[in-house]
Amino acid sequence: MQYGRIPSVGVAEVPPEGLLLDVREDDEWAAGHAEEALHVPMSEFVERFGEVTEKAADRRVYVVCRVGGRSAQVTRYLLGQGIDAVNVDGGMLAWEAAGKPLVNDGQGPAHVA
């Protein structure tokens, strides 16, 4: 397993065709998320790992959380499983600050919680 720095990219480097994996919890997701993201909360990650591998196929996985701590842990796990993954620096707060689109479950304006 890799213990050094994990690979990371800024939000501007996440391509539209990339697999964006949001590992925030359900309440954070409901407040605001990227429309195309796959949502697998970190607390459910191990039991739902198959969903990620199915979607990842031969694509790089861009892992995001609120700030970057949880996503860094998940990125490290994915790399250990042989999956091409990178952490998204600054998380969804950086996504929102960069003006990237957010959607929610219809409860007022989408925002990062």
Side-chain angles (χ1 to χ4, degrees), residues 7-107:
S8 62
V9 298
V11 295
E13 299 170 78
V14 177
E17 70 281 358
L19 174 58
L20 184 64
L21 172 63
D22 191 327
V23 298
R24 296 176 302 148
E25 295 305 316
D26 291 338
D27 59 329
E28 296 171 289
W29 169 265
H33 57 272
E35 187 170 16
E36 68 278 1
L38 170 63
H39 180 227
V40 180
M42 186 174 169
S43 62
E44 301 172 11
F45 194 78
V46 174
E47 57 265 23
R48 293 180 58 191
F49 180 67
E51 292 176 48
V52 177
T53 58
E54 180 181 304
K55 296 272 187 185
D58 291 319
R59 296 193 291 170
R60 172 172 273 182
V61 179
Y62 296 83
V63 189
V64 68
C65 65
R66 185 173 192 272
V67 179
R70 290 172 286 179
S71 56
Q73 292 175 52
V74 171
T75 299
R76 182 169 280 122
Y77 178 82
L78 290 171
L79 290 169
Q81 303 303 310
I83 295 172
D84 182 15
V86 294
N87 190 35
V88 178
D89 277 336
M92 288 304 293
L93 287 178
W95 184 274
E96 184 177 45
K100 296 273 200 172
L102 291 172
V103 296
N104 68 6
D105 296 342
Q107 306 133 310

